[in-house]
Amino acid sequence: MHIDDALRARKSIRAFRPDPIPLDLVNEILETASLAPSGTNVQPWKVHVVTGEARRRLVAEVLAHRETGPDDSGSEFPRLSKRKEPFLSRMRKLGKDMYSLLGIPKGDESANWRQWGRNYMFFDAPIGLIFSVDKDLGYMGFVDIGIYMQTLMLVAKSRGLDSCAQGAWNNYWTVTRRVLNIPEDEYIVCGMSLGYADETAPVNTLVSEREPLSSFAAFHGFE
């Protein structure tokens, strides 16, 4: 698949088929993605791959912990995120479109809670990925992980697999750390679902809008 085709075909999938993925293919995708660049070639990404019983245990324990209303329901590290325009409108537009496809009306808190909980089921994908990074690397380590994840998603798409990057896995990090034996000196940054899209699920028809070039690019020195 040409890189342009992979970019246009890739989208966040929120309902997967249970079809298993061969370990050799998973290894190939992760290894190929490691060709991604990183600042001064530090290659800081750590990937924890779960499937089968390990996946079931992680999902079960995080969901059970989530129902207790624990103190670690937020980010493990400061996100420094302020929801202002134009970012707020883009976020709300995506949420409105997605929840409309899911048939969840605005204000239905119990349905919202259940749907958000599907993040911690990897949206039924057979493979779950948890990404961590050494705490000493600072914000640039997060940039490097983002580059690796994007590369991974494109490599996966070029091989017929779908994905969904999930910031939600930065929550309830105490359970994830314990279950996967992630060292205390690493941040749990985010997760990702990996598998084959359920083409019958209405939510997978969602295509998020993209801003025009003129809204984010400034050209200097061109005649």
Side-chain angles (χ1 to χ4, degrees):
M1 183 181 288
H2 190 279
I3 184 65
D4 287 8
D5 296 327
L7 278 164
R8 291 188 174 92
R10 189 218 63 82
K11 61 181 179 179
S12 294
I13 294 300
R14 295 178 177 86
F16 289 82
R17 305 197 311 262
D19 308 37
I21 305 171
L23 178 58
D24 287 349
L25 179 56
V26 177
N27 287 339
E28 178 185 334
I29 291 169
L30 296 178
E31 186 172 16
T32 304
S34 71
L35 296 172
S38 59
T40 63
N41 199 37
V42 295
Q43 304 173 66
W45 42 78
K46 302 286 183 65
V47 190
H48 308 266
V49 186
V50 295
T51 193
E53 183 55 37
R55 178 194 172 285
R56 284 190 288 273
R57 181 188 171 200
L58 177 63
V59 167
E61 295 203 23
V62 169
L63 286 177
H65 186 68
R66 179 176 180 256
E67 293 299 327
T68 67
D71 292 336
D72 67 342
S73 60
S75 172
E76 184 181 11
F77 48 82
R79 292 189 179 182
L80 305 177
S81 175
K82 295 182 179 180
R83 304 293 181 167
K84 61 180 183 180
E85 295 299 342
F87 316 116
L88 186 60
S89 292
R90 295 172 189 168
M91 180 184 70
R92 286 176 172 169
K93 177 66 166 59
L94 176 67
K96 180 180 179 181
D97 291 346
M98 181 174 68
Y99 279 85
S100 176
L101 289 169
L102 289 165
I104 298 176
K106 184 177 181 180
D108 190 335
E109 294 184 3
S110 61
N112 282 327
W113 177 257
R114 289 192 301 273
Q115 176 59 31
W116 187 254
R118 284 186 50 73
N119 275 284
Y120 306 108
M121 301 168 66
F122 295 106
F123 298 113
D124 299 327
I127 298 286
L129 308 176
I130 300 294
F131 298 87
S132 63
V133 66
D134 191 295
K135 291 180 178 179
D136 290 336
L137 291 174
Y139 292 122
M140 292 311 297
F142 299 153
V143 172
D144 292 334
I145 280 192
I147 295 172
Y148 176 78
M149 290 176 62
Q150 170 72 342
T151 306
L152 191 159
M153 288 187 284
L154 293 176
V155 173
K157 191 61 189 175
S158 74
R159 286 155 174 77
L161 290 173
D162 296 287
S163 60
C164 184
Q166 298 172 257
W169 278 96
N170 179 242
N171 299 333
Y172 310 113
W173 42 271
T174 56
V175 178
T176 304
R177 185 183 302 285
R178 173 174 54 78
V179 173
L180 300 184
N181 295 315
I182 298 176
E184 292 290 339
D185 62 357
E186 295 177 18
Y187 282 128
I188 297 171
V189 180
C190 55
M192 184 185 293
S193 302
L194 185 66
Y196 299 99
D198 179 356
E199 302 294 351
T200 68
V203 70
N204 286 338
T205 65
L206 176 64
V207 178
S208 55
E209 295 181 355
R210 289 295 185 269
E211 294 296 310
L213 180 65
S214 59
S215 73
F216 62 84
F219 295 88
H220 307 272
F222 290 88
E223 297 297 334

